Amino acid sequence: MRSKVRYQLLDSSAAPKTCRFLWIILFLIVCFIAYFLLFSTSTKGVFNPLVPDKRNPMTYEQVMKDLRNEIDERNAIISELQKDFEKLELKSELKVLYKRRPETKHVDCGRVLSGDKKYLESVSGGNRVKMVENNDLDMSCAAIMNRILPSTSVLKPLKNGMAFARIVYADYEMIEKQVQMSYHPQNAFCFAIDKKAPPKFHERLRAMAACLPNVLLLPDEDSVDSAGHNINSAHYNCMRVLINKPGWNYVILLQNHDIITKSVYEMEQIYEWLGGANDIEITPESGRLDNKFKWDPKSLKMFRNETGMNQTILNTKMKFAKGAAQGSLSRAAVDWMVRTTDLTTYINQWNKGGFGVDEQFIQSFQVSSDLGMPGHFTDECLKAGKNTDFVSRMSQWMYSGAEHCGSKTIRHAICLLGIEDFRTVAAYPNLMFNKMMPSFDYSIVECTAELLYNRTFLGQVDHKLEEDYYTKMVNVLYHKNHMNPNFKLDCTPSYKQWSQRQYPL
Ligand SMILES: *[C@@H]1O[C@H](CO)[C@@H](O)[C@H](O)[C@H]1NC(C)=O
Ligand SMILES: *[C@@H]1O[C@H](CO)[C@@H](O)[C@H](O)[C@H]1NC(C)=O
Ligand SMILES: *[C@@H]1O[C@H](CO)[C@@H](O)[C@H](O)[C@H]1NC(C)=O
């Protein structure tokens, strides 16, 4: 019964007569108020542009002119305030300098950078600064964020971020420093821990990954060794995790003591110049290939979907090359390695080898142009006896004796980097330097961190990026032009390669 009454009230034709009467009264009241408001305002001091004010007889044009003047005046004040604010901001940024660790507090990185040889002696040789590990490092999330995230300045958004895939086993504080030096909310950091690493190292890395959403830690751990076992699978597992993260367009593959030497803005620019080409070291495969295995894509179960694929390519042995396990891969290449192909069998077969088993992974896909990995290169330069330049990693091989290294120290035929290498670090076009060990020399790590901080937050330009270097690399020109039938591959770059430059500076 109640619902019936409600329907009656909603139906206007069914409204009782008294109700209609009330509506008419309401309408009259509204008319009266409207009349009052419209015709009384001009005499009550409220400005009506259509009726000249009797006490202040200004024309419409005059009023608008006054208003415009007032707006102009206020705009001038606003822009004045804005300028003051910008000046203040600039000042506060300049005031916040990079904070060095206690053991490196006395090191004047700027003086080393300027080439002050006398000063260099006071922080090198017998005066070399080693990192003093902090056993009581505060690993609360607040403390980790406080150390890694920029405290006073805002990072500009990147057109494209970048990803870092790093295999680690030691020196947590240096690893954390690496995240700080390349930190950007758009970047992603994947870590694979060597199973042999001490429990405390595991714990600390887990705490960092639990705290920061763009730090990813692989759950499954294998042992890696100097023969390169399990290096490729660790990097590959990082790729599988990273491909699900948006925001990056290149990944750089790294090992524990590789130090990034370009700021995030510089890396963004360099990768834009590479334009989708992978940057990988290519030298001849040196007889490590085990021919008891089959190496054609079909036997390797490489392509996830072979339907409609060229049978010749599927059944032909792929091509091989050798080079550093570190390198830069475009996002499209990573997507291909993870989603179009499955490289597990390939990686496992190499992993059964004896030495240098990690140095043929990305190289062989890079030169096997028939396989179609995005950003690939070709084996034509190899066939012509030419190794091609790669810029991602700087590593100084030294067979002529330790005295030719900046730090006068060698490890496995590679110069160990010290503070004497700082000018080289700042000047070379490479994205990463191998290797710096905090137990040998920490001021080179700290000064590099200060250098990147100065470039990132203080806008300092100590060395302009060599645009010609990156845009004229043989692999970059090949990637850009190889579909053009008139393109002729020239395996010798037009610029002076970093490996042929003076070392150390
Ligand atoms: C970083 O900038 C500060 C302030 O200008 C300067 O004192 C310092 O020497 C710079 N360090 C490097 C490595 O450029
Ligand atoms: C495999 O590739 C063929 C040809 O490109 C396509 O028609 C088919 O849908 C693919 N199969 C799967 C499972 O993706
Ligand atoms: C298959 O690939 C080979 C090698 O690249 C090529 O010579 C051949 O023309 C291709 N066949 C077809 C049907 O595309």
Side-chain angles (χ1 to χ4, degrees):
M1 284 312 276
R2 284 188 74 171
S3 64
K4 216 171 194 175
V5 173
R6 215 184 291 156
Y7 283 129
Q8 276 179 353
L9 282 175
L10 285 173
D11 184 353
S12 66
S13 66
K17 293 252 160 25
T18 48
C19 211
R20 270 185 221 168
F21 181 66
L22 278 174
W23 276 113
I24 290 163
I25 290 179
L26 202 66
F27 176 72
L28 286 175
I29 292 172
V30 168
C31 285
F32 180 73
I33 292 171
Y35 172 86
F36 183 78
L37 281 176
L38 266 176
F39 294 96
S40 60
T41 43
S42 61
T43 56
K44 285 265 168 11
V46 177
F47 174 68
N48 179 345
L50 300 174
V51 184
D53 190 323
K54 286 194 194 85
R55 291 165 308 154
N56 187 14
M58 287 173 85
T59 62
Y60 175 63
E61 281 74 23
Q62 273 174 312
V63 171
M64 289 312 280
K65 207 172 135 207
D66 280 2
L67 275 175
R68 261 186 230 114
N69 286 343
E70 199 174 328
I71 288 172
D72 286 347
E73 268 167 38
R74 283 181 192 214
N75 274 343
I77 294 170
I78 288 173
S79 81
E80 204 66 29
L81 280 171
Q82 219 156 16
K83 266 184 223 146
D84 284 355
F85 185 68
E86 273 161 20
K87 260 186 241 155
L88 264 175
E89 247 191 348
L90 214 65
K91 258 194 213 150
S92 68
E93 267 189 34
L94 282 177
K95 263 188 287 178
V96 183
L97 295 180
Y98 179 76
K99 284 182 202 68
R100 266 173 270 128
R101 285 173 69 89
E103 56 270 48
T104 54
K105 266 231 159 73
H106 64 287
V107 180
D108 188 336
C109 305
R111 263 177 100 173
V112 180
L113 189 62
S114 72
D116 188 334
K117 291 266 185 294
K118 192 107 199 78
Y119 177 75
L120 184 61
E121 281 170 21
S122 69
V123 285
S124 60
N127 302 316
R128 205 178 286 288
V129 181
K130 295 175 178 54
M131 182 194 255
V132 182
E133 251 199 86
N134 182 356
N135 285 317
D136 305 316
L137 193 65
D138 185 349
M139 290 308 295
S140 67
C141 186
I144 294 169
M145 278 167 53
N146 194 33
R147 290 193 295 267
I148 292 178
L149 307 187
S151 53
T152 49
S153 311
V154 182
L155 284 158
K156 286 178 286 183
L158 302 173
K159 210 193 294 171
N160 289 295
M162 58 226 72
F164 302 82
R166 193 186 283 268
I167 300 162
V168 293
Y169 65 91
D171 299 319
Y172 171 79
E173 285 175 277
M174 195 206 75
I175 299 296
E176 193 188 90
K177 175 66 58 187
Q178 285 297 295
V179 177
Q180 182 203 336
M181 283 161 70
S182 301
Y183 188 81
H184 193 286
Q186 281 166 262
N187 290 351
F189 304 85
C190 175
F191 289 103
I193 310 187
D194 178 3
K195 203 176 190 166
K196 299 187 303 295
K200 189 162 190 159
F201 182 82
H202 277 86
E203 246 168 63
R204 287 176 163 185
L205 222 68
R206 270 200 294 272
M208 190 197 339
C211 177
L212 297 171
N214 47 348
V215 173
L216 311 161
L217 182 60
L218 292 184
D220 43 351
E221 295 170 11
D222 291 313
S223 280
V224 297
D225 57 33
S226 57
H229 292 107
N230 297 322
I231 296 276
N232 294 157
S233 56
H235 278 151
Y236 190 46
N237 286 336
C238 266
M239 290 184 210
R240 290 200 246 225
V241 172
L242 285 167
I243 201 67
N244 297 312
K245 282 246 154 200
W248 60 270
N249 73 339
Y250 266 91
V251 66
I252 185 160
L253 309 182
L254 303 152
Q255 305 223 29
N256 203 106
H257 294 105
D258 296 328
I259 301 290
I260 295 286
T261 51
K262 293 280 181 263
S263 75
V264 283
Y265 302 133
E266 289 177 305
M267 284 184 80
E268 178 194 35
Q269 176 64 77
I270 292 167
Y271 283 143
E272 195 174 322
W273 280 329
L274 296 193
N278 303 317
D279 181 51
I280 290 164
E281 184 179 26
I282 303 291
T283 67
E285 197 282 308
S286 55
R288 292 172 184 165
L289 189 72
D290 190 341
N291 280 310
K292 104 173 157 269
F293 297 116
K294 286 190 164 159
W295 296 98
D296 60 277
K298 193 159 197 112
S299 306
L300 288 166
K301 299 189 269 304
M302 190 186 287
F303 287 92
R304 292 180 187 271
N305 181 1
E306 294 181 346
T307 315
M309 277 199 65
N310 183 322
Q311 289 300 315
T312 314
I313 293 173
L314 273 181
N315 293 295
T316 304
K317 184 172 166 179
M318 57 185 287
K319 292 169 176 140
F320 293 92
K322 185 186 82 171
Q326 297 97 326
S328 297
L329 293 166
S330 72
R331 185 179 186 109
V334 173
D335 196 281
W336 181 89
M337 290 176 127
V338 170
R339 290 177 173 151
T340 302
T341 55
D342 177 355
L343 307 181
T344 315
T345 307
Y346 174 90
I347 289 170
N348 286 346
Q349 281 186 191
W350 270 109
N351 210 39
K352 293 189 177 105
F355 178 75
V357 298
D358 58 330
E359 296 182 338
Q360 292 74 214
F361 173 40
I362 47 181
Q363 284 71 24
S364 301
F365 293 103
Q366 183 74 348
V367 297
S368 295
S369 49
D370 276 351
L371 298 180
M373 174 173 75
H376 66 77
F377 189 53
T378 162
D379 65 338
E380 279 170 49
C381 292
L382 271 187
K383 285 195 290 197
K386 297 235 166 93
N387 297 345
T388 33
D389 182 31
F390 105 117
V391 76
S392 287
R393 187 188 82 167
M394 186 278 184
S395 205
Q396 191 62 48
W397 291 89
M398 194 56 75
Y399 301 103
S400 57
E403 68 271 22
H404 296 109
C405 291
S407 67
K408 315 261 183 284
T409 311
I410 261 181
R411 190 174 177 271
H412 305 316
I414 288 176
C415 290
L416 205 51
L417 302 172
I419 188 67
E420 300 91 331
D421 294 295
F422 188 41
R423 281 163 62 78
T424 311
V425 161
Y428 271 30
N430 308 74
L431 282 72
M432 159 237 305
F433 272 61
N434 166 283
K435 47 179 79 196
M436 297 182 194
M437 303 195 78
S439 52
F440 169 67
D441 189 327
Y442 192 65
S443 43
I444 181 62
V445 177
E446 197 71 323
C447 284
T448 304
E450 180 175 305
L451 181 73
L452 299 198
Y453 179 94
N454 284 6
R455 289 177 183 173
T456 307
F457 298 111
L458 308 185
Q460 293 182 11
V461 182
D462 52 284
H463 292 82
K464 205 164 166 289
L465 288 180
E466 298 170 53
E467 179 171 356
D468 265 10
Y469 199 105
Y470 308 102
T471 55
K472 299 209 166 126
M473 290 182 72
V474 177
N475 53 320
V476 173
L477 290 175
Y478 170 87
H479 173 70
K480 203 171 160 197
N481 301 308
H482 76 279
M483 300 303 265
N484 179 347
N486 298 322
F487 172 65
K488 263 187 70 70
L489 180 68
D490 182 354
C491 296
T492 311
S494 54
Y495 53 83
K496 189 165 188 185
Q497 298 175 48
W498 65 264
S499 53
Q500 289 158 9
R501 295 183 182 182
Q502 186 194 335
Y503 169 83
L505 289 175

